[in-house]
Amino acid sequence: MPDAPLRLAVLASGRGSNLQAIIDAITEGRLRAVLAVVISNKAEAPALERARTHGAPAVFLDPKATPGRDAYDAVILEHLRKHDVGLVALAGYMKIVSRVLIDAYANRIMNIHPSLLPAFPGLAAQQQALDWGAKMSGCTVHFVEEGVDTGPIIQQAAVPVLEGDTAASLEARILAQEHRIYPEAIQLFAEGCLTIEGRRVHIR
Ligand code: GRF
């Protein structure tokens, strides 16, 4: 009997276009996973609606109800365990993940960032690339550790920065690549193809 599909949780704070790319990959059979739960720190996040449309549990957890990063992540952890989650994908999740989650899900939390890390970590990465005068930028899928945008790199895609680009036009070019490589990276995890050795992620 084949192994059960990966049970995936997505944490998202906003628009959720990466979540949608993941949902589409599941629906089209490119990603062998079940969307076990989508959790947001924003009640109005369109990502929650996308989850509901797909028929996945969509949970808003109010940070004000559980002050403190560790306490909030402990509540998230309860939901992850309740839904028997095997991998957590951050997709536009605008909170820093604490040790509580990182220890419980060691090497099982991924993030996508809109730059070629280690260049331009943090907020407004596309604007940072423009301001720096970079000729290439792109996106990175990486495992999450305690630092912001610092974990071992799984997958990257590069795009050119073009004459006349604005942050919005560069964002759109990068986003198209995000939507391609994030489901791919999750599928590699689902197939058991990823091993971590120090900072390096080996893909079998
Ligand atoms: C993406 O650019 C992602 O790389 C970054 O936040 C944005 C989220 O977009 N971490 P969306 O909510 O997935 O549309």
Side-chain angles (χ1 to χ4, degrees):
M1 225 180 77
D3 292 344
L6 173 70
R7 292 188 60 78
L8 177 69
V10 175
L11 272 50
S13 302
R15 144 187 88 172
S17 72
N18 276 288
L19 168 64
Q20 191 61 52
I22 291 166
I23 289 173
D24 293 346
I26 292 173
T27 309
E28 292 162 18
R30 289 178 282 119
L31 172 54
R32 191 160 173 274
V34 170
L35 187 58
V37 64
V38 173
I39 298 173
S40 183
N41 59 324
K42 299 279 181 198
E44 304 304 324
L48 289 174
E49 197 47 44
R50 293 183 195 265
R52 286 186 206 105
T53 303
H54 179 65
V59 180
F60 162 59
L61 295 176
D62 188 353
K64 289 197 207 81
T66 321
R69 209 179 273 167
D70 287 3
Y72 185 76
D73 281 359
V75 179
I76 292 185
L77 194 52
E78 280 173 30
H79 285 266
L80 299 179
R81 290 195 166 133
K82 178 175 134 200
H83 290 281
D84 196 20
V85 165
L87 177 72
V88 180
L90 311 183
Y93 182 61
M94 301 304 286
K95 276 177 80 69
I96 293 173
V97 172
S98 75
R99 277 244 76 91
V100 171
L101 275 190
I102 292 170
D103 288 347
Y105 274 84
N107 300 333
R108 292 191 297 156
I109 307 177
M110 287 184 188
N111 182 42
I112 184 139
H113 181 76
S115 75
L116 294 174
L117 291 170
F120 315 130
L123 295 174
Q126 303 91 340
Q127 188 63 53
Q128 290 188 55
L130 284 177
D131 292 347
W132 194 258
K135 299 294 186 197
M136 298 291 292
S137 192
C139 50
T140 303
V141 180
H142 62 93
F143 284 112
V144 172
E145 52 178 37
E146 238 181 326
V148 173
D149 302 326
T150 58
I153 291 170
I154 302 164
Q155 197 113 313
Q156 292 185 304
V159 304
V161 180
L162 301 178
E163 208 55 51
D165 256 340
T166 61
S169 63
L170 181 57
E171 178 186 344
R173 193 173 310 119
I174 293 172
L175 204 56
Q177 297 304 314
E178 294 184 33
H179 296 165
R180 183 175 64 78
I181 68 170
Y182 210 3
E184 279 180 13
I186 295 168
Q187 175 61 15
L188 288 171
F189 181 94
E191 290 173 25
C193 292
L194 303 180
T195 51
I196 305 176
E197 193 187 358
R199 284 213 49 86
R200 297 195 66 184
V201 177
H202 299 287
I203 303 178
R204 182 167 47 78

